[in-house]
Amino acid sequence: MTAASAEQLARTATLPGRGTPAPSGIVLGQQLGHYRIDRKLGAGGMGEVYLATDLALDRHVAVKVLPDDVSRDATRRARLIREARAQARISHSNVAHIYFVGEEAGRLFFAMEYVTGQTLADRIAAGPVRVDQALEWIRAAALGLREAQRQGITHRDIKPSNLMLDAHGVLKILDFGLAAGAPGAVIEGPVAQTSLAGTPLYMAPEQARGEAIDARADIYALGATLYHLISGKPPFAAESAEELVSLHATAARPPVPRRGQVRTQIGAIDELCARMMATRVEDRFASYDELLRALELASTARTQPAGFWVRAMASGVDFMVVVALYYVIGGLLLLGGINLDDNGNLLFPVLGMYQILAVSRWGRTAGKALFELEVVDVETSQRPPLARVVRRTLAMLGVPVALGWAGRALDAVGEPAIGNIVEGGAIASIPVLVALLLYASARNTSKRAVWDRASSTLVRYRRSTSM
């Protein structure tokens, strides 16, 4: 079964009315309130959508109407009102705006922003999307969903066809018809489902089981959408909706195919999708803030991690600065009868202290400032706290410092030959550090060396914009 046919199956299985929607009795040219109906845009189990003209403000709007044959269904009416109220409470550039909700001759309707453009489902039909572009769209959706969560809303039906790019390329979240949440209340915990709703191609396992859900169900669906955008096909395909639900709950997700894209970045995307689509709710990102930081780190366009050459040159500048300071201070102390070398080789310890003081205070050293780089905490995207800076410095310079002092200790106990060998190891560790940095730059998209990973830090180009 093809991915396209699987998606069509999932849509028709969960959105009754797509094939043969019940007529609403709407006549082109008639008015609902101050909106003139111009033409039909689409239909689904939650209602029919028309392009209309706002006669008061002379603009196009989309009007959603409950079909005529279910207009007296209290459950459907309540759901339509819930959709309008849910969306109206969300004021965000990545969520389609609600303008009005009303009733005309017993027919419930609401008017919303008319978004021209294409859905992500239309875009996927043209082929896989570049990684950084896909990450930008998912990031935009996460920003809109974060605002929805702040208003107590869980969307419950995130999928490519509900994410639209407007004429300016801005992503808009559409169709809150399945949104869960109590009107007027901000909900921190999970939301109980009144019915099974959503699209199996992207549905979280707990949502398919009809359990209480929270924002992490939408994060799962975003992960499945991200996978679809980059790979060109959904994570799972099956002959029935029931089989799709089972695959999401039990099967191992196929890895994200490389398809000619950068190998190191695809590896990072695969890890990102794995966490977003974790079967166990507690293994996913706990919040949208956490997800947004991960999306930012995975995007080379947004994070711009520093590579080998610029970091090597910045480190060279720092080393020269410390050497100059070391010999200036050493010369001044020598005038007072104190020889630094008599107390052991303090060059590497001084370099370590310089790193700790500069990074913890300013987030960058003199060398990094010269090349417009900064060290950030990967969990906050801010300057790392002192404890992490110390851990980073020890992971980077702990071995040469220990070898240098061990060599001097061996000299002091009458083993100068062995001491010289050990001290030489301190100098020899420098090319090892260079090799580790080169390996990290070639192997992973974030270009994080061993000491970066040990301290949960990242070296990137500086930027002034915030998330």
Side-chain angles (χ1 to χ4, degrees):
M1 187 177 198
T2 65
S5 59
E7 181 167 13
Q8 183 61 36
L9 165 67
R11 287 179 179 175
T12 56
T14 58
L15 296 177
R18 273 197 184 270
T20 54
S24 63
I26 295 294
V27 178
L28 300 187
Q30 80 173 84
Q31 285 186 216
L32 297 178
H34 57 279
Y35 301 103
R36 185 189 66 225
I37 302 299
D38 296 331
R39 63 182 173 89
K40 189 173 182 178
L41 294 174
M46 297 303 301
E48 296 181 342
V49 182
Y50 295 86
L51 176 65
T53 299
D54 182 339
L55 299 176
L57 298 177
D58 191 24
R59 62 179 176 180
H60 281 140
V61 298
V63 171
K64 190 165 190 177
V65 185
L66 201 65
D68 212 27
D69 62 341
V70 293
S71 61
R72 295 178 179 82
D73 187 317
T75 300
R76 291 292 182 90
R77 289 172 60 89
R79 187 173 291 177
L80 188 68
I81 293 173
R82 183 177 67 203
E83 175 180 356
R85 290 175 175 171
Q87 241 173 303
R89 291 203 306 275
I90 306 168
S91 178
H92 195 275
S93 60
N94 296 120
V95 176
H97 299 144
I98 293 294
Y99 298 139
F100 183 82
V101 60
E103 188 169 1
E104 184 84 14
R107 184 176 289 117
L108 200 61
F109 71 94
F110 69 85
M112 62 181 291
E113 178 182 2
Y114 174 55
V115 183
T116 59
Q118 64 175 349
T119 67
L120 293 193
D122 297 328
R123 175 59 186 83
I124 292 171
V129 178
R130 289 184 301 106
V131 170
D132 280 340
Q133 181 61 81
L135 289 172
E136 281 299 296
W137 290 338
I138 295 300
R139 178 180 180 274
L143 287 169
L145 289 171
R146 180 176 66 175
E147 184 59 30
Q149 184 194 30
R150 289 171 177 170
Q151 299 300 324
I153 302 301
T154 302
H155 189 284
R156 296 202 303 170
D157 196 22
I158 292 297
K159 56 185 176 180
S161 58
N162 277 341
L163 302 174
M164 175 169 271
L165 301 172
D166 70 10
H168 303 287
V170 177
L171 184 135
K172 302 278 187 177
I173 303 172
L174 308 177
D175 202 351
F176 278 72
L178 301 182
V186 175
I187 301 173
E188 299 293 341
V191 178
Q193 297 196 79
T194 56
S195 62
L196 176 61
T199 306
L201 276 175
Y202 313 96
M203 191 188 298
E206 70 277 10
Q207 183 175 349
R209 292 191 295 266
E211 299 172 1
I213 62 171
D214 58 21
R216 290 171 293 183
D218 285 346
I219 287 176
Y220 184 99
L222 271 182
T225 299
L226 174 61
Y227 182 97
H228 194 167
L229 285 169
I230 295 172
S231 66
K233 60 182 180 180
F236 300 105
E239 295 293 337
S240 67
E242 291 76 13
E243 187 179 352
L244 274 173
V245 167
S246 177
L247 288 172
H248 277 278
T250 61
R253 176 187 54 78
V256 178
R258 183 176 174 186
R259 292 186 180 275
Q261 306 199 64
V262 179
R263 173 183 52 77
T264 54
Q265 191 172 27
I266 285 297
I269 295 301
D270 198 62
E271 293 178 7
L272 178 63
C273 286
R275 188 167 179 196
M276 293 177 73
M277 293 183 64
T279 303
R280 289 172 11 115
V281 176
E282 54 270 28
D283 291 336
R284 294 176 211 149
F285 293 101
S287 68
Y288 283 113
D289 287 337
E290 191 177 335
L291 171 61
L292 286 163
R293 285 192 292 269
L295 290 168
E296 181 180 82
L297 289 173
S299 171
T300 56
R302 187 166 288 276
T303 296
Q304 292 186 300
F308 172 75
W309 290 110
V310 69
R311 288 184 65 173
M313 290 187 289
S315 297
V317 170
D318 288 332
F319 189 76
M320 288 188 289
V321 168
V322 170
V323 167
L325 289 174
Y326 180 80
Y327 283 109
V328 168
I329 295 171
L332 293 175
L333 291 176
L334 191 60
L335 294 176
I338 301 174
N339 188 347
L340 285 179
D341 287 336
D342 288 341
N343 299 302
N345 188 350
L346 297 178
L347 182 58
F348 281 113
V350 171
L351 179 60
M353 290 302 300
Y354 163 76
Q355 292 274 348
I356 291 172
L357 292 173
V359 174
S360 62
R361 177 64 180 85
W362 296 290
R364 57 193 183 276
T365 59
K368 289 180 173 60
L370 179 64
F371 291 97
E372 289 294 315
L373 305 180
E374 64 181 351
V375 181
V376 295
D377 185 329
V378 297
E379 295 180 3
T380 64
S381 292
Q382 304 297 320
R383 187 174 69 244
L386 178 60
R388 292 198 173 181
V389 177
V390 171
R391 193 188 316 160
R392 182 177 190 274
T393 304
L394 288 176
M396 188 192 316
L397 300 174
V399 171
V401 168
L403 288 175
W405 282 352
R408 287 302 177 122
L410 288 168
D411 283 342
V413 297
E415 296 289 348
I418 300 177
N420 288 336
I421 294 174
V422 174
E423 278 193 82
I427 302 300
S429 65
I430 294 177
V432 173
L433 295 175
V434 173
L436 289 172
L437 179 58
L438 179 60
Y439 178 81
S441 298
R443 292 288 295 178
N444 61 78
T445 187
S446 63
K447 306 184 189 303
R448 294 168 64 203
V450 173
W451 48 91
D452 297 314
R453 293 183 176 276
S455 57
S456 296
T457 59
L458 169 78
V459 180
R460 70 182 183 188
Y461 286 94
R462 293 182 63 198
R463 58 187 179 83
S464 57
T465 56
S466 59
M467 181 175 67

